[in-house]
Every structure is written in structure tokens, then in C-alpha cells.
């Protein structure tokens, strides 16, 4: 996949924090070599977070975020600070920009404590060293820079690259379960809510992962699956289906062929499959009047047969036989007030990076709110969950 086509969820997220007029925006512009953020001597010029997906050498594909000052003032300023803190939930590497002439403030130290609480790698960049006669000697996770002259900017970029590479984990969606020359059948329904002329992101990513390991992918609609399996003269390693046609596909695929879904594979890829499997059993305890939050990471246009707003609510009403109150969230609006919900059902999170998905799952777990995802919910309600996660033996033992 071309670097400029890399999905945001697969990029390294680097966010710049600090006090107003510490020079965050100037440092961001120097690092990116672009006028990404407006620069001014007036405090608080950056109000809302500014995001830019780009290729930044020597790191590769990244998302750079410039944030509002952590020392903003007034009621509106407090709202900006909350937005700044929310950026931490999706940040892989934090850069704290400090005015070198002033040193670390209480605001800066509070941010450092937040970085440590979240186990987040960070760099302290002392800016404006061009104004000092004697620059401070940086520690291991520090650097001295001048956004004005460019001094130290390459050092900062090298430190970011070093952190990114040292924290990089080898992850696979499905290729670790395959061998070269294996054949995988992907079941992709085309319905009213499908994007015209393209596959959705998880389907694209699974296909690419299969091809990268030397295996083959055959893509078919659910209506053509039976005929395809009957005419194939070679064995099929696995069938991966869209969750919406799970029960239909399960009746066609013989028990000898492993069966799972894109959603379940994405949950494992994001590191929350075990928690999602544990959380789904709470759905059998739903009572009349209970509230369930259905959350999506993207903000797509919802249509008449939308899985989150129509299909899953209908499946759960039929499964539980109860009158359930559903609420929805999408994009960045995952609510902090989840204590009123009996359960949270999240999408696969293809548009969210691993850190943000972990944050959302941890938020629910810390409040003892069961959380699961779309595919696992559908598999559980249709009685085929155990079969759909047998490809992950350790997690299958939880059932």
C-alpha cells in the first residue's frame, strides 16, 4: 500500500502539546516543513486540534496533531483543554514543547504525569534556544530546538523515529494463521449500505494481508458462496465473512472449514478480542428498559439497513425478547458517561488506531461496563460464536 494511501488507523500518531506561545505550532511547521498551523505572537492562536496525515521521513506515514495550549483560560479555554486531553487517547508519541527560557512549568509537569499514566513515550523539546546564550544540556528523552533557525529539528525527528521503531509491533490481521499457497474465501455482501464501487476498509486490509503472505483470496457474494465451494477442486483454508450474513454463511460452510468474520479478525488485530468475548455474555442478562450504547469509529452516512442503527438492535430485541433503549455515538464522540449503560457494543474500529480502541475498552472495563463488538454480538446471538473464534484456541476456551 502506498504511503500516502495508508489508513489513519495504521499511521503513527504524533501529537504536540505545551503551553500557549511555547512555540508548538512553529515546531510543528518546522518538523513537517509545511505551514500546517497558524503561527502568531498572540496567545491561544491554536484553538482546535489540527491534524495532518502525511509521510514524514525517516518515520514513514504519520498523523501529526497540533493542540491548543494546556494553560488556556476561561470557559472556552477549558473546553479547548479537554479537547487537547482527548487527543492523548489516540497519541502514539507525545512531543511536549517547552519555552527553553522558562523551563518546565506546573502545566508541563502535569502533562508529563499524564504521559506516564498512559504509558506513552514522550519527548520534551526545549524551543527558542536561539534566544539563549547557553543552551541546556538535554537528557535522553529531551532535545533542544529552534523553530526559527531549524536547529535541532532533525534531532527531534530522529528521536521520534527511534521511538516509533522501538515500539513497533509485528502485527498481522490473518496472515499469521495462513501458509503460502493457502486459499481463503471472503464473503462480501453487497447491500444498500455498501459503498459504491469499493470494498470497505477491513475487507481491503484482509485481502492485502492474505496476498502479502503468498496466499490467495477469492471474493464472492453470499449468494454465490454455495456454488463456489461446490465447484472448487482444491481445499479452502478458511472462510471469512461479513458479520451481517454470519448465520446464512454458517449453514453453507462445512464444519471442516474454519469460519470467522472481518469484525472478529479486526478485534484480535486491535488487541481487544478477549475482552469483547468476555463482554458479550452480558447480553443474556438484559432486562426491559436497559440501555445499550452502540458506538462506531467512523461517521459514515447511515442508510435504511445500517448495521449499527437497524440490524443489531433488531437482532438483540429478538435474542433477548426485551424492550431495550439504544443510544449511538460515532467518530470521536465516544462518551465519558457510560455508567448508565448495561453494555457497550463497538464496531471493529478500522478507522481508529490501536491506542484509541484500547482506551475505549479500558474506559468501559474500569467502570465495570461490559463491552463487545458488532461481529461477536451477531455470532453470539445466532449461536455460532464458538465456531467463529476457534481459530484463536486460547480465546475459544473462554466460552
Amino acid at each position: 500500500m502506498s504511503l500516502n494511501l495508508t489508513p489513519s488507523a495504521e499511521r503513527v500518531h504524533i501529537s504536540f502539546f505545551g503551553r500557549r506561545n511555547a512555540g508548538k505550532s512553529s515546531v510543528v511547521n518546522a518538523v513537517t516543513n509545511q505551514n500546517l498551523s497558524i503561527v502568531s505572537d498572540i496567545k491561544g492562536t491554536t484553538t482546535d486540534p489540527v491534524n495532518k496525515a502525511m509521510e514524514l521521513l525517516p518515520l514513514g506515514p504519520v498523523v501529526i496533531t497540533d493542540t491548543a495550549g494546556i494553560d488556556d483560560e476561561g470557559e472556552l479555554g477549558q473546553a479547548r483543554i479537554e479537547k487537547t486531553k482527548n487527543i492523548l487517547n489516540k497519541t502514539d508519541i507525545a512531543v511536549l514543547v517547552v519555552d527553553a527560557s522558562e523551563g518546565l512549568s506546573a502545566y508541563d509537569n502535569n502533562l508529563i504525569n499524564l504521559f506516564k499514566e498512559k504509558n506513552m513515550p514522550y519527548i520534551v523539546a526545549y524551543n527558542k534556544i536561539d534566544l539563549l546564550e547557553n543552551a541546556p544540556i538535554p537528557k535522553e528523552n529531551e532535545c533542544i530546538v529552534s523553530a526559527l533557525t531549524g536547529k535541532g529539528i532533525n534531532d527531534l525527528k530522529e528521536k521520534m523515529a527511534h521511538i516509533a521503531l522501538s515500539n513497533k509491533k509485528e502485527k498481522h490481521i490473518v496472515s499469521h494463521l495462513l501458509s503460502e499457497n493457502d486459499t481463503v474465501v471472503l464473503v462480501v455482501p453487497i447491500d444498500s449500505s455498501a459503498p459504491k464501487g469499493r470494498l470497505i476498509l477491513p475487507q481491503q486490509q484482509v485481502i492485502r494481508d492474505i496476498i502479502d503472505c503468498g496466499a490467495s483470496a477469492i471474493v464472492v457474494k453470499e449468494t454465490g458462496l454455495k456454488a463456489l465451494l461446490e465447484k472448487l477442486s482444491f481445499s479452502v483454508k478458511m472462510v471469512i465473512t461479513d458479520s451481517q450474513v454470519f448465520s446464512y454463511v454458517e449453514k453453507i460452510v462445512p464444519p471442516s472449514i474454519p469460519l470467522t468474520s472481518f469484525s472478529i479478525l479486526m478485534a484480535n488485530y486491535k488487541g481487544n478480542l478477549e475482552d469483547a468475548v468476555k463482554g458479550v455474555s452480558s447480553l443474556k442478562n438484559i432486562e426491559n428498559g436497559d440501555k445499550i450504547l452502540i458506538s462506531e469509529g467512523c461517521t459514515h452516512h447511515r442508510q435504511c439497513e445500517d448495521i449499527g442503527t437497524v440490524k443489531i438492535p433488531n437482532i438483540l430485541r429478538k435474542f433477548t425478547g426485551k424492550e431495550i433503549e439504544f443510544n449511538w455515538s460515532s467518530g470521536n464522540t465516544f462518551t465519558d458517561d457510560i455508567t448508565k449503560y448495561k453494555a457497550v457494543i463497538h464496531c471493529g474500529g478500522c478507522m481508529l488506531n490501536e491506542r484509541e480502541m484500547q482506551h475505549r475498552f479500558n474506559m468501559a472495563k474500569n467502570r465495570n461496563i461490559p463491552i463487545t463488538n458488532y461481529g461477536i454480538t451477531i455470532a453470539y446471538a445466532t449461536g455460532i460464536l464458538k465456531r467463529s473464534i476457534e481459530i484463536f484456541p486460547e480465546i475459544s476456551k473462554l466460552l
Side-chain angles (χ1 to χ4, degrees), residues 273-281 372 376 385 389 395 398-399:
L273 178 59
E274 181 176 340
D275 289 328
V277 169
K278 290 178 179 178
V280 77
S281 61
T372 187
I376 292 169
L385 179 57
I389 62 172
I395 295 177
L398 298 174
L399 299 179

Side-chain angles (χ1 to χ4, degrees), residues 134-198:
N134 298 307
I137 299 175
K139 299 177 183 177
E140 185 177 354
N141 69 324
E142 298 177 344
C143 60
I144 54 174
V145 301
S146 169
L148 180 65
T149 68
K151 183 176 181 179
I153 294 299
N154 284 336
D155 180 46
L156 173 58
K157 292 164 70 173
E158 291 291 341
K159 284 183 182 293
M160 292 190 298
H162 174 74
I163 290 175
L165 291 173
S166 61
N167 286 274
K168 187 176 181 180
K169 295 179 289 187
E170 190 69 27
K171 298 195 307 176
H172 305 278
I173 301 174
V174 68
S175 59
H176 59 298
L177 304 173
L178 305 174
S179 300
E180 191 174 1
N181 298 321
D182 279 343
T183 298
V184 181
V185 174
L186 310 181
V187 183
V188 178
I190 306 298
D191 57 25
S192 60
S193 62
K196 299 296 183 183
R198 62 183 175 89

Side-chain angles (χ1 to χ4, degrees), residues 109-371:
N109 284 318
N110 286 337
L111 275 172
I112 290 174
N113 289 334
L114 283 174
F115 301 155
K116 292 177 178 178
E117 285 176 18
K118 293 179 175 291
N119 196 27
M120 179 182 299
Y122 68 93
I123 301 167
V124 178
Y126 288 97
N127 187 30
K128 304 182 182 180
I129 59 167
D130 53 286
L131 301 178
L132 302 181
E133 292 185 8
N134 298 307
I137 299 175
K139 299 177 183 177
E140 185 177 354
N141 69 324
E142 298 177 344
C143 60
I144 54 174
V145 301
S146 169
L148 180 65
T149 68
K151 183 176 181 179
I153 294 299
N154 284 336
D155 180 46
L156 173 58
K157 292 164 70 173
E158 291 291 341
K159 284 183 182 293
M160 292 190 298
H162 174 74
I163 290 175
L165 291 173
S166 61
N167 286 274
K168 187 176 181 180
K169 295 179 289 187
E170 190 69 27
K171 298 195 307 176
H172 305 278
I173 301 174
V174 68
S175 59
H176 59 298
L177 304 173
L178 305 174
S179 300
E180 191 174 1
N181 298 321
D182 279 343
T183 298
V184 181
V185 174
L186 310 181
V187 183
V188 178
I190 306 298
D191 57 25
S192 60
S193 62
K196 299 296 183 183
R198 62 183 175 89
L199 299 175
I200 62 175
L201 182 57
Q203 295 163 356
Q204 297 176 42
Q205 291 177 297
V206 168
I207 291 172
R208 180 57 192 262
D209 198 37
I210 292 170
I211 294 172
D212 282 347
C213 74
S216 300
I218 300 177
V219 183
V220 64
K221 292 198 295 185
E222 74 278 16
T223 52
L225 177 62
K226 188 174 186 295
L228 173 67
L229 293 179
E230 287 174 349
K231 73 181 181 182
L232 287 179
S233 59
F234 46 83
S235 61
V236 173
K237 178 72 173 182
M238 183 186 303
V239 173
I240 304 170
T241 181
D242 187 285
S243 300
Q244 300 181 65
V245 291
F246 231 147
S247 57
Y248 178 91
V249 170
E250 195 267 341
K251 294 179 177 66
I252 296 173
V253 179
S256 58
I257 301 178
L259 170 66
T260 192
S261 73
F262 295 102
S263 184
I264 288 172
L265 290 174
M266 290 304 296
N268 184 67
Y269 182 63
K270 300 288 184 179
N272 52 59
L273 178 59
E274 181 176 340
D275 289 328
V277 169
K278 290 178 179 178
V280 77
S281 61
S282 67
L283 298 178
K284 67 177 181 289
N285 301 320
I286 294 294
E287 300 293 343
N288 287 325
D290 282 343
K291 297 180 179 180
I292 292 179
L293 175 66
I294 297 180
S295 185
E296 293 197 357
C298 58
T299 55
H300 68 275
H301 175 67
R302 302 183 188 280
Q303 301 188 41
C304 59
E305 292 298 315
D306 183 73
I307 184 173
T309 56
V310 178
K311 292 182 178 179
I312 286 181
N314 287 342
I315 287 171
L316 288 181
R317 290 188 185 104
K318 181 179 179 181
F319 173 70
T320 63
K322 305 296 183 180
E323 290 297 321
I324 307 169
E325 181 180 338
F326 292 96
N327 292 153
W328 291 268
S329 70
S330 61
N332 294 322
T333 58
F334 189 73
T335 177
D336 284 333
D337 182 21
I338 59 175
T339 56
K340 61 185 177 183
Y341 297 109
K342 191 65 176 284
V344 177
I345 302 174
H346 207 288
C347 71
C350 64
M351 299 301 293
L352 305 176
N353 67 351
E354 182 177 345
R355 184 174 284 273
E356 184 163 8
M357 281 298 291
Q358 290 293 345
H359 164 73
R360 295 185 177 197
F361 267 70
N362 288 336
M363 182 186 295
K365 287 166 57 183
N366 292 339
R367 292 163 175 78
N368 294 315
I369 308 297
I371 182 168

Side-chain angles (χ1 to χ4, degrees), residues 13-34:
H13 286 240
I14 305 172
S15 303
F16 288 73
F17 302 93
R19 297 175 62 190
R20 293 172 296 167
N21 271 28
K24 295 185 308 299
S25 297
S26 297
V27 172
V28 168
N29 289 346
V31 166
T32 62
N33 199 28
Q34 297 182 17

